[in-house]
Every structure is written in structure tokens, then in C-alpha cells.
Amino acid sequence: MGEPSNDGVVLILTQDFDPTVDPVVHSLKAKDAEVVRVDLSYFPQKMYVTASDFDGERRRLLHRGRDVDLSRLSGVWYRRPTAFDFGPDMGEAEKQFARNEALQGIGGILRATTCTWINRPDLDAVAELKPYQLDIAKRLGMRTPKTLMTNDPEEVSALLARADRPVVYKAFSGGVIHYPGSFPSGLFTTVVGEEINEHLDRVRHTMCMFQEYIEKAYEVRLTVIGNTFFPVVIRSQETDATSVDWRGANHLPYGDYVPLPEDLVKKTQLLMAELDLVYAALDFIVTPDGEYVFLEANPNGQFMWMYHDLKLPMADCIADLLMAGGEFRRGEVTQIGY
Amino acid sequence: MTTTLVRHPLRTSLSMTSGHETITPLDGDNPSRPLAYAFAASIATADHSEIEDDPGFYNEELQVWEIPGGGYTMGVRTLTTTGGSCGCDCVTDDACF
């Protein structure tokens, strides 16, 4: 990856309301970058996408008078776009066809670009698989919690009967969805108590994940932006709301900066390389003995709350990466403190 | 790429600001629901009186969201409930992909 330049165009794919993106847009503009922020819902009614090799190669995106040459892209940030919007007049069957055509066409045209992606969505789709992450982490020599993944109630019952320490339930995919079309609702990692016996039969409905509860000294949220690491200490044991899952409070008990051990930095880079990710937010427990335990990697995890709370230069870092041009190259890691 | 084992690679999200009003969900103890629902926080507590009168707007020229009075926002209270922990749109995790 080269030094940031303002020769290329930065494309950000996200919805209009996305507070994580706004500071990055400001940073890109301050660096004189050409920024195009669009949502996939603009297609096809408010946005045209064209690729052609008739009369020479050209790949264009037209929106609000902007004519973006996709061959000039230096970086693409695939954040939180909403779905294509085909309008109210098209029938459901036609919408399904139109959507499939759009996925193939736009997905393929964008995939053919040779710039830095944060992250390529096809890679995200595999990288976010938690069992896969845990398997890679173990193979790389990281400690991971002992984990049971099953839809067999008998397996869960047997684990709970022989467990000599607490067990937590953790969802694979984040929050649960209460009704079709709704956002996921809060679902934190939860220590399983006696109440599980009343619900054991519900394990059979889908895959469930149970892990050993690991005693914590504190936790680390590591935000990886290219070759820059932002490890943030969260003193999760200082409040009841954050002791099992630090997402339980909005005002987090941060701890002083502690750089990651070099060995863990190397293993994390190998994990990122195997998942082929440029960006990820990783969670670790640090035990009272000082051992780091890998929990998960979130390929599209939030980071702007730490940007605001700790004044970490994450927006600039993302902006520099998007402006660099060419495909991302993994290299020596720089850790940023606060 | 198949969607049999992974989601479609061109992931899309739901809108953070419109179109997804919360309704009272089924009882969390309903045995037909997966185990996760037994541990999920209810979203039926959304207080519509706390909804922002003016949550701001998207400035197409500047390509950023603008809120009344300027400054930054970590979110706005709308009829939409996201995966945050406080029943509002202040999202500090990745529950909304």
C-alpha cells in the first residue's frame, strides 16, 4: 500500500444515516480526496451504473450529476448499504429477478476493481463465521474458550451436568430478530443459570453456542485498520452491567492503554491474513494471569464510539487507507495508544 | 457464491431511520422460539415520547448527516430500534450488520 494521495476516488457504500461514516467523510475532504457516498437503494431509480468495452473500456456510476469513473477508485468502503429499491410499481416476481440481475451486475462490476476494499463483502461473508474464526485462532496458537455448538438438547444437558465452572450462551450472529423486517434486538452473552432447564428443548430449533466462562482481569477491543492496531482496554469487571458482556453499558469503563504483546500481534496478523480482511474489530479477554483469550472478530464492527470517547485517530486512518490506491498489502503493524 | 452456508456476499442492512416500527413481540418464553429469545432484551419498551422531533437530515451535497445545532451524533431516537443496549439508536456493538 502506498502513501495516501488524492488522485483517486473513494467510494463509500452506505445508507444516509450512518454516524460511523460521517467523520471519515470529513477526514477525506480535509485531505482533498474525491468522495462519493451512495446507498445501494439509490439503484436503479436515482443511480445509473454502466460498464462497457464498446468504443473503449469505461465503468461509470452516475448519481446526482456526479459522473464517477470506477476505474479511478482508490478505495471502497462497504459499510451498511440498504437494498436496491425498485419502486412500488414492480411486482414481487419481477423485483426478485431485477434484484438478482442487479446483484450480479453491480457486484461483478465492483468486484472487478483493483483497489483497497474495507472489506470485500464476499470475504466478509465467510470471515464472519464464528466457528471458522475460532478454528483458525486455535490453529494459530491463540487460546479460545472451550465451545459447544449444537442443536441437540442432550449435548447441552450433559455439558451443564458436568461443568465445574459457569457456562455462557452466546449467539453466532448478534441480536435476535423479533419480527420480519425488524432490527435485531439486544442479545448479550449470558451466563446460563438454572432457568436453562426450562428451555432446554428450545435448543433443537437452531444452532446454539455455549462457552466456558473465563475469569477476566479486563477485556480488549482491538480495532484493526489495515496495518494499524488500536487496542482499547475495557475494565469490564468494574460494573455489573459490563462484567459478562461489556456491551451492557453505553458508558464504558476504559482502562489505561496497554499495547498488545508482540506474539499476539503476529498471530492476529496471521488471522487477518487467513480471513483476508483489511478491517476487523476483535474481542479478547485478558485473564488475571495476563493470558489473552480470543473471542471473535467482527468484520464490520463499530469503532466510532472509541473515536469520540478516546480521541483515537480512526477516521483519519480509514481515510488514509481508502486513499492509498491499489490493493491492500499486509505489513509491519503500528499500535496506537491513547 | 452459494447462500446455502453463508449469506449472500452483497450484504445489505435495514435502514436505521425509517420503515421498521417496533411492535410487541411474542412472549420470550414461547417454546416455539429458539433458545436465544429467552436471553434477548425486549424491544417492546420503546417510548415514543422520547422520539426526536427533529432527528436531522442527510445533506446530499456534504454527504454527511446533519443534526440540529451541529456537532456529532452517535444516533437519533426514532421509531426504529437497533441492537444497542439502551433501547435507543446508540449502537456500540455490531448487532446490526
Side-chain angles (χ1 to χ4, degrees):
Chain A
M1 189 182 75
E3 290 299 310
S5 72
N6 54 11
D7 296 336
V9 179
V10 173
L11 176 64
I12 301 175
L13 295 165
T14 196
Q15 55 189 276
D16 293 347
F17 181 79
D18 188 344
T20 296
V21 163
D22 292 343
V24 177
V25 171
H26 286 302
S27 177
L28 286 163
K29 287 179 179 171
K31 296 169 185 286
D32 289 329
E34 186 177 342
V35 188
V36 178
R37 172 178 171 167
V38 293
D39 189 22
L40 292 182
S41 68
Y42 299 171
F43 180 89
Q45 301 182 88
K46 295 189 289 186
M47 185 166 75
Y48 292 108
V49 177
T50 302
S52 172
D53 56 6
F54 284 100
D55 304 318
E57 294 274 355
R58 59 197 171 91
R59 287 179 287 179
R60 301 169 67 198
L61 183 152
L62 286 170
H63 172 62
R64 289 192 71 246
R66 287 194 180 93
D67 187 349
V68 183
D69 180 354
L70 296 176
S71 67
R72 289 184 54 229
L73 292 181
S74 62
V76 179
W77 191 10
Y78 195 89
R79 259 291 297 173
R80 280 188 176 158
T82 60
F84 304 118
D85 181 1
F86 297 99
D89 299 331
M90 203 182 278
E92 283 306 313
E94 292 83 357
K95 280 182 183 173
Q96 188 173 336
F97 171 75
R99 178 175 178 274
N100 287 338
E101 291 295 288
L103 287 168
Q104 289 271 335
I106 292 180
I109 290 168
L110 291 177
R111 175 63 189 89
T113 60
T114 54
C115 59
T116 294
W117 280 72
I118 305 176
N119 294 310
R120 259 177 48 196
D122 57 320
L123 299 175
D124 267 6
V126 174
E128 72 177 11
L129 299 172
K130 288 189 174 69
Y132 182 46
Q133 297 173 1
L134 289 169
D135 192 65
I136 295 173
K138 276 192 287 189
R139 190 155 29 87
L140 293 172
M142 292 183 186
R143 181 182 167 189
T144 59
K146 289 188 174 62
T147 302
L148 168 66
M149 294 172 277
T150 186
N151 73 325
D152 184 346
E154 293 293 326
E155 287 277 359
V156 180
S157 181
L159 171 67
L160 296 173
R162 67 174 183 270
D164 57 1
R165 60 172 65 182
V167 170
V168 298
Y169 171 82
K170 176 179 176 177
F172 289 93
S173 59
V176 298
I177 296 171
H178 280 283
Y179 72 102
S182 165
F183 278 106
S185 181
L187 174 54
F188 301 138
T189 299
T190 307
V191 175
V192 170
E194 291 294 323
E195 81 289 344
I196 185 74
N197 295 314
E198 296 174 28
H199 302 294
L200 265 182
D201 198 44
R202 296 165 69 179
V203 167
R204 66 184 166 82
H205 289 313
T206 189
M207 287 298 287
C208 300
M209 178 160 53
F210 298 87
Q211 293 184 319
E212 63 173 325
Y213 180 80
I214 292 176
E215 294 296 327
K216 309 168 185 176
Y218 58 91
E219 297 182 66
V220 171
R221 185 62 180 291
L222 169 64
T223 306
V224 175
I225 303 174
N227 292 314
T228 307
F229 282 22
F230 295 89
V232 168
V233 170
I234 298 171
R235 293 277 172 195
S236 58
Q237 304 310 289
E238 291 183 359
T239 68
D240 290 341
T242 57
S243 63
V244 177
D245 188 329
W246 54 254
R247 293 175 300 174
N250 277 321
H251 300 287
L252 291 174
Y254 296 108
D256 293 338
Y257 171 63
V258 179
L260 299 179
E262 274 307 308
D263 178 59
L264 185 65
V265 170
K266 287 177 185 166
K267 287 173 179 170
T268 302
Q269 273 292 64
L270 291 170
L271 177 78
M272 293 290 290
E274 190 136 355
L275 296 174
D276 214 352
L277 296 176
V278 175
Y279 172 91
L282 299 93
D283 293 321
F284 294 92
I285 287 171
V286 181
T287 69
D289 294 333
E291 186 178 19
Y292 284 73
V293 182
F294 171 83
L295 296 180
E296 64 182 56
N298 304 285
N300 203 25
Q302 309 290 337
F303 63 87
M304 209 48 79
W305 42 284
M306 292 176 290
Y307 162 88
H308 289 303
D309 289 348
L310 302 173
K311 312 302 179 197
L312 285 165
M314 293 161 151
D316 278 343
C317 193
I318 293 254
D320 288 343
L321 200 53
L322 291 169
M323 292 174 66
E327 293 189 6
F328 169 68
R329 292 183 187 279
R330 222 166 293 280
E332 190 174 338
V333 169
T334 302
Q335 295 197 64
I336 305 293
Y338 51 90
Chain B
M1 180 185 293
T2 175
T3 55
T4 304
L5 287 177
V6 297
R7 59 171 167 72
H8 195 284
L10 268 190
R11 161 188 50 80
T12 54
S13 303
L14 295 170
S15 167
M16 294 281 280
T17 52
S18 63
H20 309 287
E21 293 189 19
T22 56
I23 59 172
T24 303
L26 292 172
D27 178 5
D29 288 337
N30 188 312
S32 67
R33 309 182 92 194
L35 179 69
Y37 286 81
F39 300 124
S42 170
I43 59 170
T45 55
D47 182 354
H48 289 194
S49 68
E50 294 182 359
I51 294 167
E52 299 277 6
D53 292 330
D54 185 358
F57 66 98
Y58 181 64
N59 185 322
E60 291 189 322
E61 202 56 45
L62 298 177
Q63 302 186 100
V64 294
W65 192 270
E66 291 197 347
I67 58 170
Y72 69 82
T73 177
M74 292 293 282
V76 292
R77 283 182 188 275
T78 68
L79 289 171
T80 302
T81 296
T82 62
S85 54
C86 60
C88 67
D89 287 343
C90 182
V91 180
T92 54
D93 66 6
D94 51 309
C96 287
F97 291 104

